[in-house]
Amino acid sequence: MRERAATALLTARDRTLALTGCVDDDELKAQHSPLMSPLVWDLAHVGNQEEIWLVREAGRRPALRPELDAMYDAFQHPRADRPALPLLSPDRARAYIADVREHALDVLDRAALKQAGGRGDALLGDAFVFGMIAQHEQQHDETMLATHQLRRGAAALTAADPPPAAVDPADLPCEVLVPGGPFVMGTSTEPWALDNERPAHLAGVPAFWLDTFPVTNAAYRRFIDDDGYRDPRWWSDAGWEHRQGAALEAPLFWQRDGDGWLRRRFGVVEPVPPHEPVMHVCWYEADAYARWAGRRLPTEAEWEKAARHDPDGGRSRRYPWGDADPGPQHANLGQRHLRPAPVGAYPDGASPLGVHQLIGDVWEWTASDFLPHPGFTAYPYKEYSEVFFGPQYKVLRGGAFGVDPVACRGTFRNWDHPIRRQIFSGFRTARDAEGVR
C-alpha cells in the first residue's frame, strides 16, 4: 500500500509538471477562460491541499505556508476571480509544491498504514488520505488539460493517436439488453473510493436497452443535419432556453467547413472524425439528441449496472472487464492520447453483457441528479461532495481519455452543471425494455 501511494503521488506530480512546463510563464498566469483558473493557481493549489492533508493532518506536523490557505481555497475564490489574487509566481509555486512533496513523502515513509476495517477508520487506514490527494491532483490535472483545450495559440501538447477499431461496430448489435432486478451499487470495500461512492447498497432497475457504444460524431451530426438545434420539440424547457441564450449550434469547438465540420483540438484544427464518440456537449444537448432519437439518457443506476453487473455470478465487479486495474488494452485513460478512440477500439474492456467503452474516452452524462447514496457519510470533509448534492448538478460516469486510472472506477461519480461543455463529456442513450422482466 505504501508503494502504491508513492507511485500514485509521483505519477500525478509528473503529469502536473508536464502540463505546466510546456507553456511559458505568461501563459501560466493568463486566464484562458472565465470558466477556468490560471494554470499557475492549480499548480500551487494541489500543493496546498497536499500540505493540509498529508503534512498537517496525516503527519501532525507544523504548517509550512499557512498564509497560502485562504488564497488557494477553491470555495473562497470563484475561478473568474482568481487572476486578481496575489498568486505565487510559477517558479515560487514549483518550489512550494516540491517542498511540500518532500515532507509528504517523509510522512508516507513513517506512517502506520493499517488495513482499514470500515468506513470510520482514520485517514491513514489503507493509505486512504494519500490516495485521496493523488486523486485530487489528477482531477486538477484533468482540469488543466481542459484549460489547454480552451487556450488559443499553437499546440503545446502532443501524444500518440489512440488505437484503431479492433472490432467493426456494424458487426455488433447497436444496443444491449440489461436485465432488470437488484444489484450492488457503490462500494464499501474499495480502499480509495471517495465518500460519494459509498456505501455499497442494493439498487434495483427494470430491464432496459443501452447503446453498445457511446454516441459518435457521425450519429450526432445526423441530429444537427435534421435541424435538431432548431426544433424545440426535442428540448426540455430549460434546455431550449439555454440553447437560445447560448446560441448553441453544434458541440463546442466545432465549426462549419462547407458541407462538413472541423473541430479545434488542443491547438490543431482538423476534420471531425466520424467514428469517435461525440465530445464537448452539455447535458441539455445530450438530452435533446436522445429525445430526437426516440430514446433517453440512462439513469446513473442503469449505467452502473451495465458497467459492473456480472449476470453469471450475480455480483458487481470493479470494472466492466473484471476486478483488474485498467490496462492499455481495456480503456483510453491517463492522457496517453489526446482524443477519444474510435468506437470498437477496446473489445477487451467490454462488460459481460457486451457494452463497450463504458470506461475512458468520454465522460457520459446520465439522467440523474447528483444525490447521496443511502447511508452516505461525509468523509473526511463535507465540501468534497455533500455541498454539491441537489438537482443543480447532473451525474457523469465512466471517465474520459484525460482521467488517470487512480481517479476512475466502476463506482466513481463525477458531476457538473447541465450547461457545461468545456469538460470532456459525451453520452450514450437507453430505452425501456417493455414487457421484459
Side-chain angles (χ1 to χ4, degrees):
M1 191 62 73
R2 199 182 312 274
E3 181 180 355
R4 182 189 178 205
T7 298
L9 290 169
L10 294 170
T11 300
R13 184 54 46 84
D14 286 346
R15 186 179 177 196
T16 298
L17 295 177
L19 286 164
T20 54
C22 60
V23 292
D24 62 26
D25 285 3
D26 287 340
E27 291 261 28
L28 290 177
K29 293 184 286 187
Q31 186 172 46
H32 299 283
S33 165
L35 295 173
M36 312 302 281
S37 309
L39 290 167
V40 74
W41 185 92
D42 290 286
L43 179 62
H45 169 77
V46 296
N48 179 248
Q49 288 295 293
E50 185 169 315
E51 180 190 346
I52 290 171
W53 287 102
L54 300 190
V55 178
R56 302 182 203 170
E57 292 291 330
R60 300 289 186 236
R61 300 186 181 189
L64 303 174
R65 297 289 302 273
E67 75 279 8
L68 298 180
D69 291 0
M71 185 159 58
Y72 292 102
D73 186 329
F75 285 89
Q76 287 195 39
H77 305 289
R79 289 177 176 178
D81 297 343
R82 291 170 190 170
L85 298 171
L87 303 175
L88 293 179
S89 69
D91 284 344
R92 289 183 177 178
R94 292 187 186 100
Y96 169 58
I97 67 172
D99 186 33
V100 172
R101 176 54 56 87
E102 183 177 352
H103 285 81
L105 291 178
D106 188 59
V107 171
L108 177 59
D109 282 343
R110 299 169 185 268
L113 305 180
K114 59 184 179 297
Q115 286 293 115
R119 193 68 194 96
D121 284 303
L123 289 171
L124 293 178
D126 277 339
F128 170 80
V129 71
F130 297 95
M132 180 185 79
I133 288 301
Q135 291 177 82
H136 173 266
E137 184 161 347
Q138 287 286 5
Q139 288 166 338
H140 275 271
D141 289 340
E142 185 185 358
T143 298
M144 288 193 281
L145 186 65
T147 301
H148 272 280
Q149 170 63 13
L150 287 161
R151 65 176 283 275
R152 295 287 181 171
L157 300 170
T158 59
D161 284 339
V167 297
D168 187 346
D171 293 335
L172 297 173
C174 63
E175 60 181 355
V176 170
L177 178 64
V178 180
F183 75 104
V184 176
M185 185 174 183
T187 180
S188 297
T189 58
E190 187 73 31
W192 290 357
L194 303 170
D195 62 359
N196 63 64
E197 300 172 66
R198 300 175 183 263
H201 60 283
L202 282 179
V205 297
F208 66 99
W209 294 91
L210 184 68
D211 287 342
T212 302
F213 297 100
V215 172
T216 63
N217 289 320
Y220 197 84
R221 182 173 169 179
R222 291 193 286 273
F223 169 67
I224 298 174
D225 292 344
D226 197 38
D227 285 335
Y229 276 89
R230 289 176 162 77
D231 192 334
R233 287 182 299 165
W234 313 128
W235 299 77
S236 66
D237 291 344
W240 184 246
E241 181 180 1
H242 176 67
R243 191 220 70 77
Q244 291 181 299
L248 303 184
E249 299 285 346
L252 186 61
F253 307 116
W254 284 33
Q255 61 189 64
R256 285 195 181 273
D257 180 41
D259 292 333
W261 289 90
L262 302 175
R263 72 175 180 189
R264 180 167 58 83
R265 181 180 61 83
F266 297 109
V268 175
V269 176
E270 61 190 10
V272 171
H275 303 302
E276 286 183 11
V278 68
M279 184 170 60
H280 296 302
V281 290
C282 70
W283 186 89
Y284 291 129
E285 290 169 291
D287 179 61
Y289 173 95
R291 293 168 186 241
W292 169 82
R295 298 171 67 84
R296 59 177 174 78
L297 296 179
T299 67
E300 182 183 12
E302 288 174 333
W303 188 97
E304 188 167 327
K305 184 165 190 181
R308 300 185 63 213
H309 180 63
D310 182 352
D312 292 332
R315 70 180 189 92
S316 291
R317 295 144 52 124
R318 295 179 68 214
Y319 298 97
W321 54 86
D323 294 332
D325 290 337
Q329 75 278 21
H330 294 129
N332 181 7
L333 293 167
Q335 203 183 309
R336 293 193 310 272
H337 315 294
L338 288 172
R339 61 197 302 164
V343 294
Y346 295 98
D348 288 346
S351 75
L353 295 170
V355 187
H356 287 240
Q357 286 165 269
L358 284 156
I359 299 290
D361 291 310
V362 291
W363 286 106
E364 298 186 16
W365 287 111
T366 73
S368 299
D369 297 336
F370 184 48
L371 299 172
H373 287 334
F376 167 84
T377 300
Y379 184 85
Y381 59 105
K382 67 179 182 179
E383 288 81 8
Y384 181 74
S385 302
E386 187 174 333
V387 298
F388 297 101
F389 290 146
Q392 68 271 31
Y393 293 98
K394 294 294 185 181
V395 174
L396 303 102
R397 299 297 298 265
F401 66 88
V403 176
D404 188 82
V406 78
C408 186
R409 293 171 286 279
T411 57
F412 193 92
R413 308 173 74 197
N414 191 8
W415 64 94
D416 214 327
H417 293 290
I419 65 172
R420 292 290 184 248
R421 304 208 298 168
Q422 85 278 11
I423 58 177
F424 302 110
S425 52
F427 64 100
R428 71 181 73 213
T429 68
R431 67 181 175 94
D432 296 344
E434 296 179 4
V436 179
R437 299 184 65 183

